[in-house]
Amino acid sequence: MLKSVKGIYRDGKVVLLETPGDLTEGKVIVTFLAESGLVELQSRGIDREQAADLRVRLSRFAEDWERPEMDAYDAL
C-alpha cells in the first residue's frame, strides 16, 4: 500500500505536516517538489499548443474533482 503525507524538509530533517494514522513504521521515499508547484511541460515534451489543448480537455473534469466526496479517493 502507498500512502502520501505532506511534509517540509528543514535543517536536514523531514517534518511531517500530517500523521499517517494507520502506520507506525514503514519505508519512505522523499520527493522534493518545486516551490512554485508548476510542472515544466517542455521537459516532458509538451509544447504550448499541446498544453492549451490539455488544459481545455481536463477542465471538463474540474467540477467533479473538486467535489468533497472525491476526497475519499485520496486514501486509496
Side-chain angles (χ1 to χ4, degrees):
M1 171 185 82
L2 297 176
K3 180 151 189 102
S4 297
V5 297
K6 293 180 182 179
I8 296 174
Y9 177 76
R10 183 182 300 136
D11 298 324
K13 297 179 182 176
V14 175
V15 178
L16 298 181
L17 299 176
E18 305 171 43
T19 303
D22 57 339
L23 294 174
T24 56
E25 185 177 313
K27 294 181 180 181
V28 299
I29 298 173
V30 176
T31 303
F32 290 90
L33 304 173
E35 288 292 324
S36 67
L38 298 176
V39 176
E40 292 289 330
L41 297 179
Q42 288 181 333
S43 69
R44 291 175 166 82
I46 299 173
D47 63 27
R48 286 183 180 266
E49 185 178 316
Q50 291 170 319
D53 178 58
L54 282 171
R55 192 174 296 112
V56 169
R57 290 179 15 206
L58 293 174
S59 69
R60 297 175 187 148
F61 299 101
E63 185 178 332
D64 288 332
W65 287 333
E66 300 300 325
R67 291 183 180 177
E69 59 267 23
M70 294 300 282
D71 292 344
Y73 291 100
D74 293 341
L76 296 179

